[in-house]
Amino acid sequence: MDIIVNQELKAYIDPLTPDEHDALERSLLAEGCRDALVLWGDVLVDGHNRYGICRKHGIPFQTVQNTRFQSLEDVHLWMIEQHLGRRSVSDFQRGVLALRKRAILDARRADEQAQLQRENDGEAPLAQAEPTPADDAPPWAPAPRLSRTELARQAKLSASQVTMIEKIHSQAAPELIEAVKTGAISISAAATVASLPEDEQRAAAQGGKDELRQAAKRVREARRRPRPATSGTDSETGTPVAAAAEDGELERLRQRVASLTAENQALRMELDALRARLGDPGT
């Protein structure tokens, strides 16, 4: 049979590095292709690298059909599950795959909710059903969304790692994402650098490991630097608000000291008067 290579499916999972591809090629040449390639009809689902190497060297291979696939989304979910279980997949790759899985499941939930609600709306006038109590979920209520904790468990990551990978995935420049994939920067540092404008991220990534480290350090130091409570200038005097606030606080402290000094002096006078009445020789 003719095997069809769908380029979108082939690119759905990050490609092997040159070293990983060379190692796989040596293994196939020495031991043959022991694992069957997975097909969906004529479409190749799993084994793109093995298929390419086997064709290049004329190595025999077997195929197996997965008859459970109903749609391309099913194929994507299956591919994600397969790669989440592989030890060679990096933490960042597992996080991205888990986020893709959640996006697919969220889209399915939305579609199912809309379909069930349409069916419910169409049947309600005929059935004349009693109103649903306010504290009960409607019959078309979707299943709960995949939580970050469950997402982390499936990806074998911590919840904080998933949060950082979400930030990188949504905010990082392509050059920064590539730096994470190649190990030039850690996930935590990349999430920090992703806070910068895209052009600064790109410049740091192009500068290499040292520049990426320095960029992450600058962001962390800026976050630790104390900020004034207010900013701007007073509209009447033109004095910076922060400076005016400091001057005002100093004046309040001076008035408080003067008030306490006066109270202390009055108490001393009362004490002297009391001693005089009692004939205290200490007066």
Side-chain angles (χ1 to χ4, degrees):
M1 65 178 296
D2 292 329
I3 294 178
I4 299 173
V5 176
N6 182 306
Q7 294 302 320
E8 188 272 337
L9 284 181
K10 183 178 180 180
Y12 194 70
I13 304 295
D14 286 339
L16 298 178
T17 65
D19 288 344
E20 290 170 339
H21 190 276
D22 290 346
L24 177 60
E25 187 170 23
R26 289 193 298 271
S27 174
L28 292 174
L29 287 170
E31 303 175 15
C33 188
R34 294 177 296 178
D35 298 323
L37 310 183
V38 179
L39 301 177
W40 177 33
D42 296 338
V43 178
L44 181 60
V45 172
D46 185 59
H48 291 89
N49 293 294
R50 283 174 285 141
Y51 178 63
I53 294 170
C54 288
R55 288 194 61 190
K56 175 182 176 181
H57 296 286
I59 301 171
F61 58 86
Q62 301 294 321
T63 62
V64 61
Q65 286 284 341
N66 190 320
T67 58
R68 293 177 298 171
F69 298 144
Q70 300 287 322
S71 66
L72 193 60
E73 284 184 346
D74 289 341
V75 176
H76 286 162
L77 287 172
W78 184 88
M79 293 174 72
I80 289 170
E81 294 296 340
Q82 293 300 304
H83 283 79
L84 283 177
R86 291 177 179 172
R87 290 178 295 178
S88 59
V89 179
S90 70
D91 288 348
F92 180 73
Q93 289 173 318
R94 282 203 303 275
V96 171
L97 290 172
L99 292 175
R100 287 179 182 175
K101 176 178 180 178
R102 186 173 67 181
I104 292 172
L105 295 180
D106 284 351
R108 283 191 170 181
R109 284 174 61 252
D111 289 344
E112 290 171 1
Q113 179 184 14
Q115 178 62 27
L116 289 171
Q117 187 165 358
R118 283 194 297 270
E119 293 175 359
N120 183 79
D121 291 344
E123 294 171 1
L126 296 176
Q128 294 296 318
E130 295 182 0
T132 303
D135 56 350
D136 289 344
W140 58 85
R145 190 183 191 220
L146 191 64
S147 69
R148 182 175 283 112
T149 301
E150 179 59 22
L151 199 70
R153 187 192 67 78
Q154 294 185 17
K156 299 180 178 64
L157 301 170
S158 67
S160 62
Q161 284 177 307
V162 171
T163 300
M164 290 186 288
I165 292 170
E166 280 185 291
K167 182 176 181 180
I168 296 168
H169 192 59
S170 61
Q171 295 181 216
E175 293 84 353
L176 180 58
I177 292 176
E178 187 60 28
V180 182
K181 291 179 179 179
T182 60
I185 187 173
S186 67
I187 291 173
S188 60
T192 301
V193 176
S195 302
L196 294 171
E198 187 171 335
D199 57 341
E200 294 184 33
Q201 295 181 39
R202 187 176 294 109
Q206 291 171 348
K209 288 184 179 181
D210 290 341
E211 184 56 36
L212 284 167
R213 275 197 217 99
Q214 290 302 316
K217 182 179 179 181
R218 288 194 297 270
V219 174
R220 288 169 180 149
E221 289 177 347
R223 289 174 178 172
R224 288 195 294 266
R225 192 176 301 133
R227 299 178 180 177
T230 56
S231 60
T233 58
D234 185 276
S235 60
E236 295 182 359
T237 66
T239 305
V241 173
E246 291 177 2
D247 291 344
E249 181 63 21
L250 183 58
E251 181 61 28
R252 281 193 293 273
L253 288 173
R254 285 173 178 163
Q255 291 175 2
R256 180 61 175 159
V257 170
S259 175
L260 290 173
T261 301
E263 289 179 12
N264 187 45
Q265 184 65 27
L267 288 172
R268 285 180 179 276
M269 292 175 65
E270 289 181 12
L271 181 58
D272 289 343
L274 180 59
R275 284 174 175 170
R277 287 197 301 270
L278 295 176
D280 188 342
T283 62

